Amino acid sequence: MVLASAIVLGFVAAWMLASGVLMHGRGIRFRQALLYLPLKLIYRIEDRALIQARDAEAPVIYVISHQSRLEPALMLSLLPDQTLHILDDASAQAFWLEPWRELGRTIAFNAEHVFVSRRLVRVLRGKGRLAVYLPDTVEPDVKAFRLFRAVARIAMQADARIVPIFVSGARHLPFSLAPAERAPRHWFQRLRISALAPMTMAELLQRAGYSQTTTANALFDRFAEARLAGTDLDRGVFGAMVDAARRYGPSQPIVEDVVSGALSYRKLLVGARVLGSRFEAMSKQGEAVGILLPNANGVVLAMLGLISAGRVAAMINYTAGAANVASAVKTAAITTIVSSRAFVQKADLGDVVAAAEQAGAKIVWLEELRDSVTTQEKLTAALQWSRPLAPQDASKPAVILFTSGSEGTPKAVVLSHRNLVANAMQAEARISISPKDKLFNVLPVFHSFGLTGGTILPLLTGIRLFLYPSPLHYKIIPDVARKIRPTIMFGTDTFLAAYARTAEDGDFSSLRFVVAGAEPVRAETRRVWRSRFNAEIIEGFGLTEAAPVVAVNTATHGRDGTVGRLLPGMRMRLEEVEGVAEGGQLWLTGPNLMMGYMTSDRPGELQPLDGWHDTGDIVSVDREGFITIKGRAKRFAKIAGEMVSLGAVEMLVQALWPEQRHAAVAVPDKRRGERIVLVTTAGNADAEALRLHGKQAGATELMVPHDIIKVHEIPVLGSGKTDYVAARRLALDQLGLAA
């Protein structure tokens, strides 16, 4: 009895002592510390971000992402005791939460009636503090978005500061509010609390980066940034992959191709470690090693193997032609390229391989590496699958990609681990995805959209990934889609239009949505996919330098004809362009912006990005924050002193001949400086009909091409973008202006 009493007393004393330490370390009351301590120990909570949140000057509104039943207990334990917590009915009545409710002031609210604004404004004006729990949704419906409007209105009226709070990992707790199939449960899930700096609504509106936005959108964007802040970007690509494996299950099938079948997280990381050990032996730390492989399991294994070994994966665009591949090898100072004999033979890439070798690269064949792997290597890798071969530094380069070259010579874009993970998580904070989804990626991994969005994003978020080797198999891809039943697909307008022409009505019926980028989505393509497959095309915008996604529409925040709204964590500014009345040239900054370029005149040397990046795109932004691409700065023709968007010309022509493809290019003109030439697949294209259509559409005469060149196919790059260099060369040849 004495021993038992001593044990109990010792336990109580230890609890009291630990609570005292916690009280002083976090600045909370002793009662709060007593109830917070068990949560802190069980979930190993990283909570230092709450210190700044507690010290925020009143009036202040804490906006908390309500992912599980635990957030109210955490916030009642950690926020100042004078904070008024606005709880949902379940939290206000839960019997187990009663001890925590005694720590502060709480009221229940009915979501149907939103908030009693005047009473809350009075509380805040009296130097009060509110804690509001908003639904955990990245795509709020109309009902949920009313809450953002209400909070923004209250904050404006009371001139209160906003502090968004996100508890990373909470949605995977046993008492998560998300369905189990969307968020696998873990009893002892580690939690990380992130809280952003206090800002008033006026400050949030000012930092939007464009002339106008709504208060609700400004708050919604700030709230999404808190979700992004919950990601540990210092873990790097490999560390984030291991975290995903543990979160969704090491045995969970995650990637699949048409040849070798499915791989689980564990098998993927075991294979990557085996290959990585071989890459270590043939290259130096930090060296760029080329990957010349199609969309298949092997390309993911090779990339992760190089990253695990501390090497940089340089993704070779084998569709760019022998000359561009040789240029890429020299620009990135690549001395070793990983490829596959079977792939090179099947894709007839002998000239590309020869050009790479002539440029100084040695080819290492995956088949030979695979055949030489010993049983001991496999066992060692199986035991240490979660450990990288070399120390990982998220600030160091992870991959090198090459710009498309649609307007000139390709450049090497160097992306860090932090760039890639940040962009994947920015997309996750904007688009509603979950492990219930299956992503069908036909875009090549050497293209930034196919790499980050089509490969890294699903691997980090537990989405089953199906890789297909070529987007050009227009007749086969619809058949594959019918068999594998994907819910998400990535593509470009060129590819999507081609698939629709060969598909049967049920082939893409499993899709929830299609994410399209790289080029504008035509209204005809959008109409066909809606009417035939009941699939919404979500248009986005990106560039290789941004890893690549910059903006995207969503199901609840979408607007046809735009590329959506800026991703969380990014900032933009518009600079005036001579001759452009509406909008300006887009400059960007954010955690996903590249480390810098490598160029052919300074091979292997990183030229760091200095602050903001000039995208070269002319855009306009409406008051809701939706971005409309007017065209590339290089894709404006200067005719008789006026700037004319070649992209706008293409849209004008597309409205007249919607089922055909068109490219507008500018060529020299002695009298007016430049003139516009239309390259088109429309066999019935006629200059007079185009002139009349332009007049009816209200287009200026300068926008109407007088020269029309008819072709069977518009030149395209491997990424699906129109090859404007080739199209302009074709126009110059046809018009006798090449000299």
Side-chain angles (χ1 to χ4, degrees), residues 27-101:
I28 57 181
R29 291 183 300 123
F30 187 66
R31 283 185 61 201
Q32 287 179 300
L34 282 174
L35 287 172
Y36 175 57
L37 181 61
L39 302 178
K40 169 82 171 172
L41 295 175
I42 293 170
Y43 301 113
R44 297 157 291 161
I45 301 172
E46 186 180 330
D47 55 15
R48 292 198 172 274
L50 258 294
I51 296 175
Q52 182 187 33
R54 283 184 53 84
D55 294 339
E57 185 181 347
V60 62
I61 303 176
Y62 301 106
V63 184
I64 301 116
S65 179
H66 198 186
Q67 306 170 77
S68 75
R69 293 298 174 199
L70 191 66
E71 277 93 355
L74 288 175
M75 295 305 115
L76 283 160
S77 300
L78 290 169
L79 293 178
D81 55 357
Q82 67 269 32
T83 304
L84 176 61
H85 295 255
I86 306 175
L87 304 178
D88 62 290
D89 286 336
S91 298
Q93 298 173 17
F95 73 91
W96 69 270
L97 197 58
E98 182 61 30
W100 283 272
R101 284 197 296 266

Side-chain angles (χ1 to χ4, degrees), residues 433-449:
I433 53 178
S434 78
K436 281 186 67 177
D437 287 307
K438 177 184 278 191
L439 192 151
F440 186 24
N441 183 23
V442 300
L443 294 180
V445 178
F446 60 69
H447 183 251
S448 55
F449 192 21

Side-chain angles (χ1 to χ4, degrees), residues 15-32:
W15 188 302
M16 302 282 278
L17 178 62
S19 297
V21 172
L22 202 56
M23 176 183 71
H24 291 290
R26 297 295 175 268
I28 57 181
R29 291 183 300 123
F30 187 66
R31 283 185 61 201
Q32 287 179 300

Side-chain angles (χ1 to χ4, degrees), residues 470-478 494-495 498-499 501-503 716:
S470 172
L472 301 176
H473 296 170
Y474 299 146
K475 294 182 179 179
I476 300 174
I477 285 171
T494 300
F495 295 149
Y499 304 149
R501 285 196 295 270
T502 61
V716 295

Side-chain angles (χ1 to χ4, degrees), residues 209 572-578 580 582-588 612-620 630-634 636 643:
M572 66 176 168
R573 73 169 192 257
L574 303 185
E575 294 195 351
E576 290 186 8
V577 177
E578 182 186 356
V580 176
E582 182 183 356
Q585 191 151 330
L586 178 65
W587 289 68
L588 295 169
W612 291 75
H613 173 67
D614 177 8
T615 67
D617 290 288
I618 310 298
V619 310
S620 63
K630 299 291 187 179
R632 295 282 295 162
K634 292 181 180 178
F636 275 73
M643 301 293 284

Side-chain angles (χ1 to χ4, degrees), residues 504-516:
E504 296 179 6
D505 289 348
D507 288 348
F508 295 107
S509 61
S510 61
L511 289 171
R512 288 202 299 124
F513 58 83
V514 180
V515 182

